[in-house]
Every structure is written in C-alpha cells, then in structure tokens.
C-alpha cells in the first residue's frame, strides 16, 4: 500500500512505460487471434450441435463438455509442455492463442447454439418447404434473425477472453500480467508493486469496460425492441377487435 504513494515507485513505472506498452500490445495481439479462432470454432460446433444429425451433435457435445469442464490453465500447460516434450516446440504466443481460442470456442458454440434454437421451428420448416438446404437455411434465414440474440453474450465472452490472456503468465509469456510480474520482481525495478499492478489493471479496464458497456447496451436495446413489438402487436389486436 505504501508503494502507491511512493514517488520513487511511480518514477520506475514511468521510466519503464515501454515495457508495459509491450505487454499491452502482446495481450491485444493474443486476444485478437484467439477471438478469431474462438469465433470460427464456435460457429462450426454451434452449427454441428443444431444440425439435427446425431454424430456431429455428439462430437460438438463432447468438445463443449470436455473444454468447459477442464481448467484453462491446465489446457495451456498441456499444449505448451506436451508439444515441447514431444520435440515439436511451439511458441508461447501460439500456445496461448490456440489454448484460449479453443477454450472460449466452446463457450461461443453454446452462445450460437442457444441463439439458433431461439428461432421458432416453423422458420426451419418454411425454409425446407422452399427448397433451402441446411447451409442455405442458416445463412439466409436463421443466423440473420439470431444475430441480435447472439451478439450480447458473445461480446461478454470476448471480454472474458481478454482477461484470460493473463493465464499465459503460467508458461512465462510476454503478456501484460507476465510483464508486470517480471517488472515487480526485477533486480532494478522491484518494490514498485502497487503502481505496477494498478497500471496493469487500468490497461485491462481500458480494453474491457467499453466492450462490457457495448454488450449491456445491445442487451437493453434488444429488450426494448421486444417490448415495443409486443405492445404494438397487442395494440393491433385491440384495434382489430374494435373494428369487429
């Protein structure tokens, strides 16, 4: 606590600001590629789980249950050290991107599955009667309608993914948390624990807070639209009854 008001500690942090910037940029890079991977996996396994076919649905279920019920730290360590000991070394950055992307891909899959299943079954039947195949039905009819339901929880998953980049610390990554830990334990920079971790937290907040607000705004707008739609439908019903 004393280091928070220590001018010397804050001077150290300012002197090595480029170190924190490097960790910040590495965290952003890791998060960006991990988000892309998680979205691809989420879409793939989300579609498999709603395909109506037993084998793809079973494969998707196994993936989701296994990934969600094992710790992310364990998955990161397994990928990094298993590859290293097998003679096929993988960089810490690549290991983090793959592990975090695969982990959050399982959660993205559940978000997409829930969004698709929220669409009335009659939409699928109508599309089939018009000659659409499964891919066409999803692309032209189902996904455009479910996107408004999918987006808010998906953004929340992106926020969680960004925060989970801190897990790379366990394998000695160069992300923001790892850089911060190296800074506060360094021979020349030690003793500035308070300012260093506070700056690290502020940088995470700068990334995550706008995304959290965006998800909250989307969700509130969705609820307002639903209420307006229901109220409009009720008003039209009342008018129709009065006309009769």
């Amino acid at each position: 606590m004393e280091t928070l008001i220590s001018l010397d500690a804050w001077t150290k942090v300012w002197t090595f600001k480029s170190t924190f910037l490097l960790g910040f940029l590495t965290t952003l890079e890791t998060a960006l590629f991990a988000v892309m991977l998680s979205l691809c996996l989420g879409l793939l396994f989300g579609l498999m789980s709603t395909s109506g076919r037993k084998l793809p649905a079973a494969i998707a279920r196994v993936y989701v249950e296994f990934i969600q019920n094992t710790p992310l730290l364990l998955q990161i360590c397994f990928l990094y050290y298993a590859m290293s000991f097998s003679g096929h070394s993988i960089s810490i950055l690549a290991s983090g991107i793959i592990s975090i992307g695969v982990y959050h891909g399982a959660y993205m899959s559940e978000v997409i599955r829930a969004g698709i299943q929220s669409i009335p079954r009659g939409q699928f039947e109508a599309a089939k009667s018009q000659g659409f195949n499964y891919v066409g039905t999803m692309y032209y009819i189902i996904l455009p309608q479910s996107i408004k339901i999918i987006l808010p929880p998906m953004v929340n998953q992106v926020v969680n993914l960004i925060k989970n980049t801190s897990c790379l610390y366990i394998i000695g990554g160069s992300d923001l948390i790892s850089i911060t830990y190296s800074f506060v334990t360094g021979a020349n920079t030690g003793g500035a624990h308070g300012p260093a971790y506070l700056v690290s937290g502020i940088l995470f907040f700068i990334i995550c807070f706008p995304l959290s607000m965006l998800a909250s705004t989307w969700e509130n707008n969705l609820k307002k639209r639903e209420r307006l739609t229901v109220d409009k439908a009720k008003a039209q019903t009342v008018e129709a009854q009065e006309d009769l």
Side-chain angles (χ1 to χ4, degrees):
M1 189 66 185
E2 291 151 0
T3 59
L4 282 174
I5 56 175
S6 170
L7 180 60
D8 182 57
W10 282 102
T11 302
K12 285 181 182 179
V13 171
W14 177 254
T15 302
F16 291 90
K17 58 184 179 294
S18 59
T19 301
F20 289 91
L21 179 60
L22 174 63
F24 181 71
L25 293 176
T26 303
T27 291
L28 285 179
E29 181 183 4
T30 304
L32 176 62
F33 286 105
V35 165
M36 293 169 62
L37 176 59
S38 68
L39 287 174
C40 292
L41 291 174
L43 182 60
L44 173 63
F45 286 98
L47 292 175
M48 287 172 62
S49 63
T50 56
S51 64
R53 297 180 182 274
K54 290 184 178 180
L55 181 60
I59 293 172
R61 197 73 252 149
V62 169
Y63 163 69
V64 170
E65 294 297 338
F66 179 79
I67 295 298
Q68 287 188 351
N69 290 289
T70 52
L72 174 58
L73 282 174
L74 175 63
Q75 295 173 29
I76 291 174
C77 290
F78 176 80
L79 176 64
Y80 181 69
Y81 291 113
M83 293 296 289
S84 297
F85 291 139
S86 68
H88 302 86
S89 60
I90 182 173
S91 70
I92 293 174
L93 182 63
S95 179
I97 290 171
I98 295 171
S99 300
I100 296 172
V102 169
Y103 180 78
H104 282 277
Y107 289 91
M108 292 288 191
S109 170
E110 288 294 271
V111 169
I112 292 172
R113 179 188 62 78
I116 291 173
Q117 290 181 343
S118 69
I119 304 301
R121 195 67 199 170
Q123 299 278 353
F124 292 86
E125 295 170 357
K128 186 176 180 180
S129 67
Q130 294 297 317
F132 285 95
N133 58 20
Y134 179 74
V135 175
T137 300
M138 287 294 171
Y139 185 79
Y140 292 106
I141 299 172
I142 304 303
L143 288 178
Q145 294 182 75
S146 62
I147 195 71
K148 62 181 181 181
I149 301 169
I150 291 172
L151 278 177
M154 186 175 286
V155 175
N156 284 329
Q157 282 302 319
V158 172
V159 172
N160 290 332
L161 184 152
I162 293 170
K163 291 186 288 187
N164 279 338
T165 58
S166 60
C167 291
L168 290 183
Y169 154 75
I170 199 69
I171 55 173
S174 57
D175 61 289
L176 184 55
I177 293 297
S178 301
I179 289 290
T180 303
Y181 178 77
S182 299
F183 176 85
V184 300
T185 56
N188 299 321
T189 57
H193 298 76
Y197 282 116
L198 181 60
V199 167
S200 180
I202 290 172
L203 291 174
F204 268 107
F205 182 83
I206 289 172
I207 309 172
C208 297
F209 181 70
L211 290 173
S212 296
M213 292 301 296
L214 179 62
S216 178
T217 301
W218 262 334
E219 190 170 359
N220 290 334
N221 288 339
L222 177 61
K223 290 178 180 178
K224 287 179 182 178
R225 283 183 195 149
E226 287 178 349
R227 284 197 297 268
L228 289 173
T229 302
V230 171
D231 291 342
K232 186 176 180 180
K234 287 181 178 177
Q236 289 175 344
T237 302
V238 170
E239 288 179 2
Q241 289 174 348
E242 289 177 351
D243 291 340
L244 292 174

